Amino acid sequence: MRLRATLGALAIRLDGNETPEELSAALAEAPEMPLEVEIAGATPGSVVQALLEAAASRNLEVRFRPPRGERRVPHTEVVDHTLRSGQRIASAGTVVVLGDVNPGAEVVAGGDVIVVGKLRGLAHAGAEGNEQATIWALELAAKQLRIAGHVAVAPEDAPAPAGPERARVEGDQIVIEPWGRRQGA
């Protein structure tokens, strides 16, 4: 078991080695904050029951979250037409656009954004905080890209794209790289 205070909650990670007594004792001394619980190992029902009872006795909110490293993308949404100015597509999963995304159009996805055409509108991949998400386009000419909480703005004198490209987060910034070409060729 691991306990740590975060900005808005007390994060608890259950590994499966805890006993109901250990958990109850730890929560009795914990600060009065909402509990954010991650079950990372095979945890007996008695431990979860002890957690819920200890939280209820102190009137603490309990939120369960998926284990770290698990990336849940619910589905892929396919848009089979070009998006015009003013149109917006939003999905919790990956979005594939079979056409162009024109200036003034938006694509917002919890997963990746894949454009089989020209991307000139706004694309926001990983909108729910997924920094592993990417933006792919046959022609990447967007004025602004967003991945999770990162934003990239194209310079005014940006050269025209020279083929398919991919945008991804590296370090603390969005990088754009050629996609589909062999290195050194």
Side-chain angles (χ1 to χ4, degrees):
M1 169 175 51
R2 191 177 82 204
L3 290 159
R4 67 181 175 92
T6 64
L7 189 56
L10 180 64
I12 302 172
R13 180 183 169 106
L14 301 176
D15 300 318
N17 301 321
E18 306 81 13
T19 66
E21 297 77 23
E22 290 172 335
L23 186 60
S24 295
L27 290 178
E29 298 173 10
E32 290 195 23
M33 307 174 72
L35 304 176
E36 188 173 273
V37 181
E38 174 186 353
I39 299 178
T43 303
S46 59
V47 171
V48 176
Q49 184 64 36
L51 171 100
L52 295 173
E53 288 173 2
S57 70
R58 296 186 58 205
N59 202 25
L60 301 176
E61 176 187 353
V62 177
R63 297 183 298 250
F64 288 91
R65 63 184 271 335
R68 291 174 198 209
E70 281 191 19
R71 184 175 149 192
R72 188 181 151 270
V73 176
H75 63 282
T76 298
E77 183 169 339
V78 178
V79 178
D80 65 352
H81 59 276
T82 291
L83 295 177
R84 308 260 177 240
S85 180
Q87 291 183 308
R88 183 176 196 270
I89 299 294
S91 174
T94 292
V95 175
V96 178
V97 179
L98 303 176
D100 298 338
V101 178
N102 286 326
E106 292 183 41
V107 179
V108 180
D112 298 330
V113 173
I114 302 168
V115 179
V116 184
K118 297 175 185 175
L119 173 56
R120 293 178 294 208
L122 177 103
H124 187 174
E128 297 170 0
N130 178 4
E131 290 192 346
Q132 306 306 304
T134 58
I135 299 172
W136 306 76
L138 291 180
E139 187 176 313
L140 188 55
K143 296 294 181 206
Q144 184 182 98
L145 299 175
R146 298 178 188 170
I147 300 176
H150 304 278
V151 178
V153 179
E156 288 297 320
D157 57 348
E165 293 179 309
R166 172 178 75 162
R168 62 184 176 82
V169 173
E170 185 176 287
D172 241 3
Q173 64 183 359
I174 295 175
V175 296
I176 297 173
E177 57 195 7
W179 170 56
R181 289 183 240 151
R182 286 191 270 167
Q183 299 296 328

